[in-house]
Each structure stands twice: as C-alpha cells, then as structure tokens.
Amino acid sequence: MDEWIDAGTAAERLGVKPATLYAYVSRGVLRRRRGDDGRRSLFSLAEVEELARRGRPRNQPPELVIESRVTTLGVDRPYYRGIDALELARTAAFESVAEWLWTGEPARGPSLGWAGDPEGVRAAIAAQRALPDGLLPIDRLQVSTTVLGATDSLRYQLDPASVAATGRRLIAGLIDSLPFAADPPIAQGEGQGGVAGRLWARLCPAPPTPAQLAALQAALVLLADHELAASTLAARVAASAKADPYAVVLTGLGVLGGPLHGGASYDAERLLAEVTDPGRAARVIADRVRRGERIPGYGHSVYKNGDARGAFLMDLVEAAAPGHERLEAIRAVTTEVRRRRLPEPNIDFALAGLTAVSGTIPGSGEAIFAVARIAGWLAHAMEEYAKGTLLRLRATPR
C-alpha cells in the first residue's frame, strides 16, 4: 500500500520549495491527494523517492512558480484556502467565498458592507450612458473600473482590511453601474439583493427562478479564483509594483477578455447560437474542425480528464431549465464532440449553457467570469502587497 507524506516532508526530501511540488503536480510528475482533514496536500512517498533518485525533471518547459496560500488545484477542481470549491458552490454565497479568499475567515453576512460608493457609482453610470449601444459587458466593466477608481480617495490604502473593503465597494459598484437588461428594470424578489441577484438584473430581462439564481450563484463561486491563471498572474505582477486595487483589477480584466481565457465563454456562447436546432450540431462542429479551429468550451490545460466545475454547473443548468429547447442543442454539441473523441466540456461551456437557457444579453458569461474573478485577483494582490518585492521575470536569449 502506498504511503503518503505531507508537502513539507516531500519538499525537504527533494530539496525544493513547497510551491515547486505543485508545479510538478501540474506537469504530471507527481500525484497529490487531499488529507482526511480536506486541507493538507499529501504526496506519494514512492514517487517522491523515485524523483529524488532520478533528479529534478529535465526537458520540461520553464514554469514560473509563486508561493501562494490562496488556491491550489486538484485533479479536477480548485481548493480555496484548502476547501473544495464545489462544496462551497453547494453551500455558500459568493460574498462569503470572497471574504474567505481575502481573510481566511467566513463572512458574517452575505451582503454585509457590499455597496458601491454613491458618488463613484453616479459617475460610472454617467460614463456608461455616454458609451455606444451594443458594447459587450466586459467593455463596460473596464470603463466603470477606471471611473470608480478615479473617484475613490481610499484606493491607495493597501493593508488587507482596506483592500477587502475596496473589493466590496468595487464589485458592488461595477454591478450597479451596468445598465439594466430590462426597461423598466425587473423587480427584485426576496433574496435577490446580493451580488448574484443584482448582477442578474443587469444581464437578463426576465426575473430569475430560484433555481436559475442558484446556478448563477454557483457559477460566481466556482469562478472566483483558479490559482495562477493568466489574468491572475498579470494582476499579481501589477500588485507587486504596488499598483492600487483598481489598477490590479483593470489589469486582470484586460487579460481576461482573451479567447484563450475568460473570452472562451463568449466564443462558446456564439457556438451554441450557431446550433439553432440539435440537428445542426454535427455540421457546426465539422466546419470548425475543417477550418482548424478549436472547439470553445472543451478541454482544459490543467484538468486533462475533465473539469468538475463544468459538470457541476451544467447539472444546475439542467435542473434550472428542465425541458428547455436549448438543452437539446447543448447536449447535441457535447455528443458530437465526444463522438470525435475531443476533450470534455469545461466551465466555459457550462457558463455558455447557463446564459443560453436564461436568455441573457450577449457576453453575459464573460461578465459573470469577470465579476467573480475580481475576488481572486484581490486575494492574490494582498499576498503581493505583503511581500513587498517586485515580480521581475527574465528573458532567455534565443
């Protein structure tokens, strides 16, 4: 029977930093499992000993390693400060998860202190009204972030408590500055005053059912952080230079919109829009394969055997809209992708599925992703503020 040792022991045996162990895990060099307490990472003693005998892996692509306590990645899901993100998605509101990422302590209430600065929100709404119609929400979020930062006299307070307070003001202000999806706005029912309910009113012209709101809440939780994703790395570099939280978030938003990151959900939305009925799925996928294009919403660079976040969210989507006509098209796409033995669906596809059955405005998946990930960016920024050293990468001559 294999024996398992903790990260400290494994790192000492290999002569590396604990963070390097997780780089080995992401590259498939070592296996990792959670301890019985759900918090500790355990490593196979036999694999560690074998690696120690062989020496450090060579001929691997260079990988930046940053020590962090915010999020670790398991075989098919992330763990936020040691807690399974899927379990949090079942039991916690987004606000509570954001507080957990920022402070390591549970929130005292789902909406405590989550309000934008009135002056900043008024200025951001005025800026939104001056923008042309038809902009995607991600573009509007970038504009509001700039305006909210410019009007916040507390933006340069970089201690943890102040950054957390800025995060609450910023997320609430961003949502409240977005135009309503319906005119007049839909009336918010009981339990819809939190981040999920307020965001829904900006993205969907119809009021949510409890199951739809639960699916959106889960999506926000599942997307709140994902270790050193591209946007998070960019946000950490900005924070290491002591950029203020608004500049950190603006940096993250700029990277998030790329089609290989958060923009993949928008590409998946457009893919589903092409599948006007289930019978078109085979043709739509075949055309993309013929053009040499990737299938958005499928496959993951970390979760090679499937993204548990996507499966979890897709189950909630199906439960929220049983019998919905778009579900058959969604299933038909996945069936065709699997017939071709392509990778499994990820959370970007599930997010596109949620927006498809909910009737949200175009680009809503990106907006959900962006609002959620602000929590993670600021948690990582806090670590960089505390370190006080500049992240400076070096180039290798070619």
Side-chain angles (χ1 to χ4, degrees), residues 203-282:
L203 301 179
C204 188
T209 65
Q212 286 175 323
L213 198 59
L216 175 56
Q217 186 81 262
L220 289 167
V221 170
L222 293 169
L223 290 163
D225 194 47
H226 204 245
E227 198 221 43
L228 291 182
S231 59
T232 303
L233 175 58
R236 286 194 76 125
V237 171
S240 77
K242 292 295 186 286
D244 66 83
Y246 293 91
V248 167
V249 169
L250 198 59
T251 301
L253 287 172
V255 177
L256 184 85
L260 298 183
H261 194 11
S265 66
Y266 180 53
D267 288 345
E269 280 183 31
R270 292 190 294 175
L271 169 69
L272 290 179
E274 290 181 46
V275 185
T276 51
D277 63 76
R280 278 190 47 79

Side-chain angles (χ1 to χ4, degrees), residues 1-329:
M1 184 176 179
D2 202 359
E3 183 178 348
W4 296 80
I5 56 177
D6 62 30
T9 304
E12 183 178 2
R13 177 69 185 88
L14 293 171
V16 300
K17 293 182 178 181
T20 304
L21 293 173
Y22 299 106
Y24 289 166
V25 171
S26 69
R27 284 151 45 177
V29 176
L30 288 177
R31 285 182 299 156
R32 178 174 71 99
R33 71 174 179 84
R34 311 302 300 185
D36 293 338
D37 59 4
R39 294 174 178 269
R40 294 189 306 153
S41 293
L42 299 178
F43 297 83
S44 166
L45 176 60
E47 290 183 359
V48 170
E49 292 293 343
E50 176 62 23
L51 181 57
R53 285 192 295 271
R54 295 198 318 262
R56 298 184 188 181
R58 299 181 183 273
N59 299 321
Q60 293 279 359
E63 186 163 340
L64 176 67
V65 176
I66 296 175
E67 293 186 357
S68 174
R69 295 183 178 180
V70 178
T71 297
T72 56
L73 302 182
V75 174
D76 63 353
R77 68 193 66 187
Y79 293 79
Y80 300 159
R81 296 194 182 276
I83 299 182
D84 185 341
L86 271 65
E87 183 59 32
L88 289 170
R90 291 187 186 95
T91 60
F94 168 74
E95 293 93 323
S96 296
V97 173
E99 299 285 354
W100 174 249
L101 287 170
W102 295 337
T103 68
E105 298 178 359
R108 290 170 290 174
S111 299
L112 183 65
W114 288 74
D117 175 70
E119 179 184 355
V121 173
R122 284 194 297 271
I125 290 174
Q128 293 293 333
R129 288 172 177 161
L131 295 174
D133 294 336
L135 283 184
L136 293 176
I138 190 73
D139 299 318
R140 294 184 176 278
L141 290 173
Q142 291 176 342
V143 171
S144 285
T145 300
T146 300
V147 174
L148 291 170
T151 58
D152 191 347
S153 62
L154 299 176
R155 66 187 294 184
Y156 299 111
Q157 300 295 122
L158 303 184
D159 60 284
S162 294
V163 175
T166 297
R168 299 181 199 106
R169 289 196 306 277
L170 172 55
I171 293 174
L174 284 175
I175 294 171
D176 292 348
S177 69
L178 289 174
F180 284 99
D183 186 18
I186 59 174
Q188 291 193 330
E190 184 178 353
Q192 294 179 27
V195 165
R198 288 151 69 184
L199 182 59
W200 182 280
R202 267 68 185 183
L203 301 179
C204 188
T209 65
Q212 286 175 323
L213 198 59
L216 175 56
Q217 186 81 262
L220 289 167
V221 170
L222 293 169
L223 290 163
D225 194 47
H226 204 245
E227 198 221 43
L228 291 182
S231 59
T232 303
L233 175 58
R236 286 194 76 125
V237 171
S240 77
K242 292 295 186 286
D244 66 83
Y246 293 91
V248 167
V249 169
L250 198 59
T251 301
L253 287 172
V255 177
L256 184 85
L260 298 183
H261 194 11
S265 66
Y266 180 53
D267 288 345
E269 280 183 31
R270 292 190 294 175
L271 169 69
L272 290 179
E274 290 181 46
V275 185
T276 51
D277 63 76
R280 278 190 47 79
R283 171 51 55 194
V284 169
I285 299 301
D287 286 346
R288 286 179 177 258
V289 171
R290 183 178 182 179
R291 294 193 298 265
E293 299 176 6
R294 64 187 185 87
I295 309 302
Y298 288 84
H300 199 284
S301 60
V302 176
Y303 307 131
K304 303 299 186 182
N305 296 315
D307 183 351
R309 299 172 303 164
F312 182 93
L313 181 57
M314 200 65 233
D315 285 344
L316 292 179
V317 171
E318 298 215 14
H324 195 286
E325 60 181 10
R326 298 304 296 156
L327 284 178
E328 287 303 317

